[in-house]
Amino acid sequence: MTKVLVTGGAGFIGSHLCEYLLDKGEHVVCVDNYFTGSKKNIEHLIGKDNFEIVEHDIIEPLYVDVDQIYNLACPASPIHYQKNKVRTIKMGTVAMVNMLGIAKRTGARILQASTSEIYGDPKVHPQREEYWGNVNPIGPRACYDEGKRVAESLNMAYYWECGVDIRIARIFNTYGPRMAKEDGRVVSNLIMQALTNQPLTIYGTGEQTRSFCFISDMIEGLYKLMNYKEFVGPVNLGNPRQSTILELATLIQKLVRVEGELIKKPLPEDDPVRRSPDITRAKKYLDWSPTVTLEEGLKETIEYFKSVV
Ligand code: NAD
Ligand code: UDP
């Protein structure tokens, strides 16, 4: 049985991953400090054979013996990481070294949850892994973007220098049940606003695009990347279908059956104008591409938010 460490296992993506790995018969050690995640996300897993929870801040060293590590722990929404800038940089540096240290000592394979943010406000569309990005190193998003970039560099350094078996997943915007309802991300904000009859907040013109990947597709992609025989270097995981934020808002209104107003708010500084993954690499090596449409995924997500509203 494979013993798998999932850091950030009580978060949105992490809790789905823990569930998926347990269903595959793996032994899961979920490590979280509940900074942005919640015990509620994993309470249905507590008591299952092969599931362990460790409350721990991975900025501090951790000693476990495992076969695989999914390193997901990190504040992920702009609201959280911008309020906790130093901590966020430490996740890409100090915590990353701690996790790579476990991989080096135990021989475990490690998958780093990187992000489309490493492309910054991209000048190349869609974004291929070869593109180096356009990131402001001193702006409000820098703690996250540059933290994730140096985390990738650390992974490559541990691979070249110590032979650590690394995987780098560049995750594009992912949504689904168990997103935190107050973390300010666009899908959770707009659904919560629609369900509570408040105006939907559109930052800037709403013409900026994102590509939204449903959680079940993302989990499959992460699992396939982790278990692919050998792949060094980053792999984009995301849904290539782009939507403008206005299109997203209109679709959410249609699905919730509300005709509420849209209100415009200022566009946050350095907010990327366009974002969409080129997933040729994931298709070719992992035989992976998303299957859930935005409408199907939003319906499921809306049902979840109805239960927590
Ligand atoms: P999330 O906030 O729901 O999950 C992050 C988890 O990490 C939380 O449970 C939090 O409590 C935990 N955590 C934070 N700091 C920690 C620490 N020092 N020690 C231990 N645990 C800690 O966010 P998410 O959306 O599930 O994101 C998971 C990962 O995927 C993150 O690394 C994020 O950067 C990456 N990612 C997510 C998206 C997305 O659209 N959701 C996109 C790109 C990348
Ligand atoms: N956004 C918006 N209204 C909201 C929240 C976000 O228009 O209530 C916009 C935000 O400016 C960005 C996009 O939606 O252009 C996605 O924002 P999110 O914070 O979800 O993710 P990220 O910017 O990290 O991709």
Side-chain angles (χ1 to χ4, degrees):
M1 185 187 296
T2 315
K3 190 169 178 187
V4 189
L5 170 63
V6 180
T7 76
F12 159 52
I13 298 180
S15 62
H16 286 276
L17 183 64
C18 289
E19 200 173 270
Y20 185 88
L21 296 173
L22 289 169
D23 285 347
K24 292 260 178 214
E26 301 190 354
H27 183 113
V28 176
V29 182
C30 163
V31 172
D32 208 295
N33 67 348
Y34 308 111
F35 188 61
T36 54
S38 159
K39 266 197 189 132
K40 267 202 163 327
N41 289 337
I42 46 168
E43 68 186 358
H44 60 297
L45 306 178
I46 295 172
K48 280 198 187 240
D49 289 348
N50 309 328
F51 185 58
E52 292 175 57
I53 304 178
V54 180
E55 182 169 350
H56 180 78
D57 180 339
I58 64 160
I59 291 174
E60 303 300 328
L62 174 71
Y63 294 93
V64 286
D65 285 310
V66 289
D67 305 302
Q68 295 184 340
I69 304 165
Y70 289 87
N71 187 36
L72 306 187
C74 188
S77 82
I79 288 187
H80 284 126
Y81 66 68
Q82 289 181 28
K83 264 200 225 142
N84 299 282
K85 293 186 173 65
V86 174
R87 187 158 244 293
T88 302
I89 297 178
K90 283 188 183 173
M91 295 310 294
T93 50
V94 182
M96 189 73 251
V97 168
N98 287 340
M99 295 306 106
L100 284 160
I102 300 176
K104 184 180 164 191
R105 181 177 54 80
T106 63
R109 179 176 294 174
I110 181 165
L111 181 150
Q112 165 62 2
S114 189
T115 169
S116 51
E117 289 283 333
I118 70 107
Y119 299 117
D121 189 2
K123 300 289 177 223
V124 172
H125 300 284
Q127 290 82 56
R128 300 176 57 194
E129 290 87 348
E130 289 82 2
Y131 178 51
W132 292 352
N134 175 40
V135 173
N136 175 356
I138 53 168
R141 297 172 90 101
C143 56
Y144 185 72
D145 301 10
E146 297 290 11
K148 291 285 187 180
R149 284 167 72 95
V150 75
E152 287 197 7
S153 310
L154 278 167
N155 273 271
M156 293 307 296
Y158 271 75
Y159 164 72
W160 283 316
E161 218 166 287
C162 318
V164 171
D165 190 6
I166 61 149
R167 300 285 183 277
I168 299 171
R170 288 190 180 154
I171 301 173
F172 283 64
N173 297 61
T174 301
Y175 70 101
R178 298 197 208 121
M179 292 183 86
K181 63 178 179 180
E182 275 140 14
D183 76 3
R185 286 189 258 195
V186 69
V187 172
S188 45
N189 265 12
L190 299 186
I191 293 179
M192 285 300 293
Q193 289 158 351
L195 289 175
T196 54
N197 286 314
Q198 293 173 56
L200 273 58
T201 50
I202 306 294
Y203 299 167
T205 60
E207 294 297 337
Q208 70 271 33
T209 69
R210 293 294 185 273
S211 306
F212 297 100
C213 184
F214 191 60
I215 184 69
S216 56
D217 283 328
M218 182 54 62
I219 298 296
E220 294 255 337
L222 292 171
Y223 183 79
K224 282 191 162 181
L225 177 57
M226 174 63 103
N227 292 291
Y228 187 69
K229 53 185 184 317
E230 187 173 1
F231 199 93
V232 176
V235 178
N236 286 339
L237 294 178
N239 194 319
R241 184 187 173 281
Q242 271 181 91
S243 306
T244 67
I245 299 305
L246 278 174
E247 282 162 359
L248 175 75
T250 311
L251 182 54
I252 289 174
Q253 285 184 321
K254 182 186 119 192
L255 296 175
V256 178
R257 298 203 183 85
V258 288
E259 286 181 4
E261 177 203 350
L262 305 178
I263 52 163
K264 297 271 170 76
K265 298 235 172 164
L267 188 68
E269 197 181 330
D270 292 340
D271 198 281
V273 178
R274 283 171 70 191
R275 181 186 287 158
S276 161
D278 178 321
I279 58 164
T280 308
R281 199 175 271 187
K283 277 187 183 157
K284 178 173 170 194
Y285 293 97
L286 311 180
D287 188 27
W288 177 86
S289 55
T291 58
V292 182
T293 66
L294 185 58
E295 181 154 344
E296 287 163 353
L298 283 176
K299 279 185 186 159
E300 211 172 302
T301 311
I302 289 166
E303 283 315 303
Y304 166 78
F305 277 105
K306 280 183 186 166
S307 71
V308 295
V309 77

